[in-house]
Amino acid sequence: NDFEARFRIPHLTDVLHDAVSTPVSSDFAEGYPSDEEWHGYINNNDRVLLKVIHYSSPTSAGAECIDPGWFTVLGPRKIYFKPEDVKAAIVTCGGLCPGLNDVIRQIVITLEIYGVKKIVGIPFGYRGFSDSNLAEMPLSRKVVQNIHLSGGSLLGVSRGGPTVSDIVDSMEERGINMLFVLGGNGTHAGANAIHEECRKRRLKVAVVGVPKTIDNDILLMDKTFGFDTAVEEAQRAINSAYIEAHSAYHGIGIVKLMGRSSGFIAMQASLASGQIDICLIPEVPFNLHGPHGVLNHLKYLLERKGSAVVCVAEELGRLDLLEKTNATDASGNTVLGDIGVYIQQETKKFFKGTGFPADVKYIDPTYMIRACRANASDGFSALFLVKMLYLLIYTHMFWQVHGAFAGYSGITVGICNTHYVYFPIPEVIAQPKVVDPNSRMWHRCLTSTGQPDFI
Ligand code: ATP
Ligand code: MG
């Protein structure tokens, strides 16, 4: 009918038809149009270039000047597995990030469109594979229809959990042959290990990651879902800090934002708000005390304009300022002392010592930001990642079975140069992406705050 003709995405129509009505085997099924016959399919030679700008020298590019790389475009490919043979599982690990529910919802809806009947959620991260008290959650469009209207994860999240071998044992027991793993660097390291283990056991299992990091700290990707929402919410916190500081006599507002080793949220929120006088990120060293330190500059700001607002990222780089605990969380990540609280206390002490009155207010909006519902932009990118993702899964299985495309094993999805592409997991989690102190963006931030070097 007209509606069908006008609104159904052509890719979906064709692939769905193939998926449902063509008897397929893991071998290339007869009756499939070849790439040449139907140009709606993405060809594996369709690629996106990592960098569009050619810098003539590392100085003009900053430290980010790396060799241009090519990435395979996401999109419809031929499918190789029968949807009725699929049991798909979704798991969310690590911390919360706006958009998790959007991704879960979209995975479920898309799998259903493909005719997959067995879709389950693994509760509370990898832990759900081993904890007998945690039953897997049957998922359907009905269950997930409205979950994107609230933040958090329908499935719950956790850190730590069973060994990779135990996870794969559990997947075999449950008959899971498709695993969607939503999480950050740790989760992806896990996903890659699960994938490797499945290959070792010669299981026809597809493991694919969806990068979840509010900090936008995944290498090679333009932006990850959750980041936009975080910046937007961070701006609200900054605005409150500004109002508090501005309305007080010699008011100082301090806002601590997420970013363990990457200051993207702090930098972008500072820039966007236009209300920050001092932005401190892990990538750029600073002194608190001393003639060129942050505290002296705060005093100067109070004298000159009566109030000041500071934005500080979590600062893994400044562990030297914090009490050494050597503590780690269940996943083995270093537990950070609270840099925001530290700066607040030092600021109070400093002004008390100088006899110069200052009214210091501290805001830590971390959990409010993480638990937010995704904004339109993040919801959109979550949706797109998944729309493209599931088509990959089928192909991916094929690749695994035949080992023909071994180079693509352990992949995740993301945006490169505004296009959605596949990334190899090990490369994107090799180290966190960080703000380049020589970049134009950081210099714009410095121009906007007017802050000097604190060294
Ligand atoms: P975020 O940093 O945003 O909170 P994350 O995915 O990095 O997200 P982690 O708590 O570090 O969060 O890890 C999530 C899960 O991945 C945990 O269950 C942890 O046990 C597992 N994991 C972490 N690193 C590895 C690894 N190298 N191999 C296998 N599993 C891992
Ligand atoms: Mg992490």
Side-chain angles (χ1 to χ4, degrees):
N1 61 29
D2 271 3
F3 184 83
E4 191 66 12
R6 274 188 66 205
F7 295 110
R8 186 180 280 285
I9 303 165
H11 298 167
L12 280 184
T13 318
D14 285 12
V15 179
L16 180 66
H17 175 76
D18 287 343
V20 175
S21 60
T22 312
V24 288
S25 72
S26 57
D27 272 315
F28 208 67
E30 270 180 49
Y32 273 81
S34 70
D35 287 343
E36 295 73 35
E37 283 165 3
W38 188 58
H39 57 83
Y41 287 126
I42 296 281
N43 188 293
N44 281 330
N45 293 324
D46 297 346
R47 293 171 304 160
V48 174
L49 185 61
L50 177 63
K51 290 271 175 224
V52 277
I53 303 176
H54 173 74
Y55 290 105
S56 54
S57 73
T59 339
S60 49
E64 247 198 296
C65 184
I66 53 174
D67 288 340
W70 290 94
F71 293 96
T72 307
V73 178
L74 280 171
R77 285 168 162 80
K78 299 181 182 90
I79 66 165
Y80 302 95
F81 261 61
K82 291 183 193 167
E84 57 267 35
D85 289 346
V86 170
K87 178 171 178 185
I90 307 171
V91 63
T92 54
C93 315
L96 289 182
C97 173
L100 280 173
N101 278 337
D102 300 63
V103 175
I104 296 169
R105 176 177 183 269
Q106 203 55 43
I107 291 175
V108 172
I109 289 176
T110 316
L111 285 170
E112 277 201 353
I113 290 174
Y114 260 64
V116 177
K117 297 271 188 300
K118 287 171 279 178
I119 312 170
V120 297
I122 304 297
F124 298 104
Y126 290 139
R127 178 190 301 263
F129 279 112
S130 63
D131 191 329
S132 53
N133 293 320
L134 299 172
E136 59 186 34
M137 183 189 292
L139 297 175
S140 63
R141 178 188 267 271
K142 202 168 166 214
V143 175
V144 299
Q145 186 61 40
N146 292 320
I147 59 172
H148 61 306
L149 300 181
S150 64
S153 163
L154 171 76
L155 308 174
V157 291
S158 77
R159 300 189 188 277
T163 63
V164 167
S165 171
D166 288 346
I167 293 174
V168 178
D169 285 349
S170 166
M171 284 171 63
E172 275 198 84
E173 258 166 48
R174 298 161 191 247
I176 292 168
N177 52 11
M178 203 182 272
L179 179 66
F180 295 87
V181 185
L182 282 58
N185 50 354
T187 307
H188 272 73
N192 202 46
I194 294 169
H195 169 76
E196 296 287 339
E197 180 66 22
C198 290
R199 287 187 98 200
K200 215 168 79 190
R201 298 190 193 183
R202 298 179 169 274
L203 300 176
K204 289 185 185 180
V205 171
V207 183
V208 170
V210 185
K212 168 239 67 164
T213 162
I214 204 166
D215 298 339
N216 201 28
D217 60 351
I218 302 237
L219 280 180
L220 308 180
M221 300 190 186
D222 293 359
K223 198 161 66 177
T224 46
F225 73 86
F227 177 71
D228 269 353
T229 312
V231 170
E232 202 170 296
E233 291 303 313
Q235 238 194 119
R236 277 189 241 283
I238 289 173
N239 190 245
S240 304
Y242 174 82
I243 291 169
E244 284 287 346
H246 198 64
S247 312
Y249 178 61
H250 284 178
I252 295 175
I254 300 171
V255 182
K256 187 188 79 170
L257 296 174
M258 296 84 69
R260 296 184 126 243
S261 44
S262 312
F264 288 104
I265 296 180
M267 173 175 74
Q268 219 119 308
S270 297
L271 265 168
S273 74
Q275 293 176 312
I276 290 293
D277 300 292
I278 300 175
C279 175
L280 304 172
I281 59 171
E283 296 87 342
V284 179
F286 63 87
N287 286 325
L288 263 189
H289 301 277
H292 300 295
V294 171
L295 298 175
N296 244 350
H297 186 61
L298 272 176
K299 181 158 176 275
Y300 162 78
L301 290 171
L302 293 191
E303 284 163 352
R304 197 171 61 100
K305 58 185 207 118
S307 65
V309 189
V310 183
C311 171
V312 56
E314 269 176 284
E315 296 292 332
L316 188 62
R318 294 314 310 268
L319 276 179
D320 57 307
L321 291 178
L322 306 169
E323 258 181 62
K324 298 255 181 313
T325 59
N326 291 333
T328 52
D329 67 17
S331 298
N333 302 307
T334 308
V335 175
L336 305 180
D338 197 327
I339 186 86
V341 171
Y342 175 79
I343 291 181
Q344 174 204 24
Q345 286 164 352
E346 291 301 304
T347 308
K348 282 184 173 167
K349 259 194 257 169
F350 171 81
F351 282 103
K352 212 168 167 189
T354 54
F356 187 92
D359 190 347
V360 183
K361 308 233 169 61
Y362 175 58
I363 298 181
D364 178 354
T366 303
Y367 291 120
M368 297 185 65
I369 293 176
R370 293 192 347 172
C372 262
R373 174 187 167 181
N375 69 8
S377 156
D378 283 334
F380 180 79
S381 51
L383 181 143
F384 247 77
L385 281 181
V386 178
K387 274 272 179 247
M388 300 302 190
L389 185 72
Y390 68 104
L391 291 149
L392 157 78
I393 289 287
Y394 292 99
T395 316
H396 186 54
M397 281 176 158
F398 172 74
W399 289 346
Q400 265 191 275
V401 170
H402 292 274
F405 292 84
Y408 284 90
S409 289
I411 32 102
T412 187
V413 291
I415 310 174
C416 169
N417 248 334
T418 72
H419 294 273
Y420 290 82
V421 298
Y422 307 141
F423 289 102
I425 293 179
E427 290 179 24
V428 296
I429 58 167
Q431 64 196 67
K433 182 173 81 174
V434 294
V435 174
D436 175 5
N438 291 317
S439 63
R440 299 255 168 81
M441 194 61 94
W442 177 244
H443 284 276
R444 275 180 208 125
C445 187
L446 294 180
T447 315
S448 143
T449 59
Q451 74 196 64
D453 274 351
F454 295 115
I455 289 292

